[in-house]
Amino acid sequence: DADVTQTPRNRITKTGKRIMLECSQTKGHDRMYWYRQDPGLGLRLIYYSFDVKDINKGEISDGYSVSRQAQAKFSLSLESAIPNQTALYFCATSDRSDNQPQHFGDGTRLSIL
Amino acid sequence: AQSVTQLDSQVPVFEEAPVELRCNYSSSVSVYLFWYVQYPNQGLQLLLKYLSGSTLVESINGFEAEFNKSQTSFHLRKPSVHISDTAEYFCAVSEINAGGTSYGKLTFGQGTILTVHP
């Protein structure tokens, strides 16, 4: 089983719909992150969480919200989706104790029509 | 705030040829540096990292990168590439805070697509 699991892997939806992307991890890491990837722009940080009660905005948080339901679960919501939120979304985790790199899920490809 | 620039968006190369993927960064504080690789339909995987010590770091599959503080660069090299190295490569930095640790937030470059031809 993957250490960082994202669901769904693919989603097509319409403008104005509310969407939730889910991330769960089995690594026992404290820190979790949501990024979006756009061609030619690399990955940009949306939100990050250092524990269940510590959630922070990233570089591009407008139009998004998150929920850290448990140490192992971190969800990203688009309250009212718009076409320019079409992107590849990644969840990542890291352990605070080691200044170490992040471990990424396989991504959710989201298309908003 | 920091920024990362990958100077080449695409690098085509023939199998067994050497390759260099260039990365420059800008930051007002010290940073940790990383290279990640992304194969099609997959997430990012760590290729190598520089945290401290020797400025030349190596991966298990033959890649190496050298941290050059004066030029604020962290270029990735491989002396002989394989077809299987075809992927997108991302350079990233993480700011080091006053306590000497990192908050783990990564700033990524735009990515370089490496295509290895037979």
Side-chain angles (χ1 to χ4, degrees):
Chain A
D1 288 338
D3 294 324
V4 183
T5 302
Q6 293 184 233
T7 56
R9 291 295 313 279
N10 294 279
R11 177 80 183 271
I12 301 173
T13 192
K14 295 181 179 179
T15 297
K17 294 291 187 181
R18 184 179 187 274
I19 302 158
M20 180 180 286
L21 309 183
E22 299 188 349
C23 176
S24 63
Q25 53 124 341
T26 58
K27 299 189 73 65
H29 287 166
D30 296 308
R31 299 177 175 182
M32 298 187 74
Y33 309 81
W34 275 105
Y35 292 90
R36 65 176 280 176
Q37 182 182 10
D38 299 278
L41 295 179
L43 281 76
R44 293 177 292 167
L45 182 63
I46 306 171
Y47 269 96
Y48 61 103
S49 170
F50 287 166
D51 65 40
V52 174
K53 296 182 179 179
D54 184 0
I55 294 177
N56 305 276
K57 293 183 178 180
E59 179 186 352
I60 53 164
S61 59
D62 287 349
Y64 301 94
S65 63
V66 291
S67 173
R68 184 85 183 265
Q69 302 95 324
Q71 187 200 36
K73 295 184 182 294
F74 192 37
S75 301
L76 176 72
S77 294
L78 288 68
E79 297 301 326
S80 180
I82 55 177
N84 75 0
Q85 291 177 313
T86 293
L88 186 55
Y89 289 84
F90 286 102
C91 175
T93 73
S94 71
D95 189 321
R96 75 172 122 180
S97 68
D98 58 2
N99 299 319
Q100 290 300 303
Q102 296 174 17
H103 302 262
F104 286 80
D106 286 337
T108 294
R109 188 169 297 279
L110 179 62
S111 297
I112 300 166
L113 307 178
Chain B
Q2 59 265 37
S3 64
V4 179
T5 302
Q6 292 181 240
L7 298 163
D8 305 291
S9 59
Q10 297 191 50
V11 174
V13 65
F14 286 107
E15 194 173 18
E16 298 183 4
V19 70
E20 178 180 76
L21 307 184
R22 297 178 293 167
C23 172
N24 287 99
Y25 71 92
S26 173
S27 177
S28 56
V29 300
S30 297
V31 295
Y32 296 130
L33 299 121
F34 306 88
W35 275 99
Y36 283 85
V37 59
Q38 183 182 32
Y39 299 104
N41 299 314
Q42 294 185 26
L44 279 68
Q45 302 173 29
L46 179 70
L47 189 59
L48 47 73
K49 63 191 179 191
Y50 173 78
L51 302 181
S52 64
S54 173
T55 56
L56 184 66
V57 291
E58 299 178 351
S59 72
I60 58 173
N61 57 354
F63 283 94
E64 64 179 31
E66 186 160 20
F67 170 50
N68 187 318
K69 187 174 183 179
S70 63
Q71 297 186 6
T72 61
S73 67
F74 191 53
H75 301 331
L76 181 70
R77 303 184 183 95
K78 189 171 185 179
S80 176
V81 294
H82 302 289
I83 297 288
S84 60
D85 293 323
T86 294
E88 188 162 15
Y89 292 79
F90 292 94
C91 181
V93 302
S94 178
E95 217 172 68
I96 301 172
N97 60 37
T101 59
S102 167
Y103 293 123
K105 297 186 298 174
L106 293 172
T107 299
F108 284 88
Q110 302 90 332
T112 298
I113 298 174
L114 172 65
T115 304
V116 181
H117 298 283

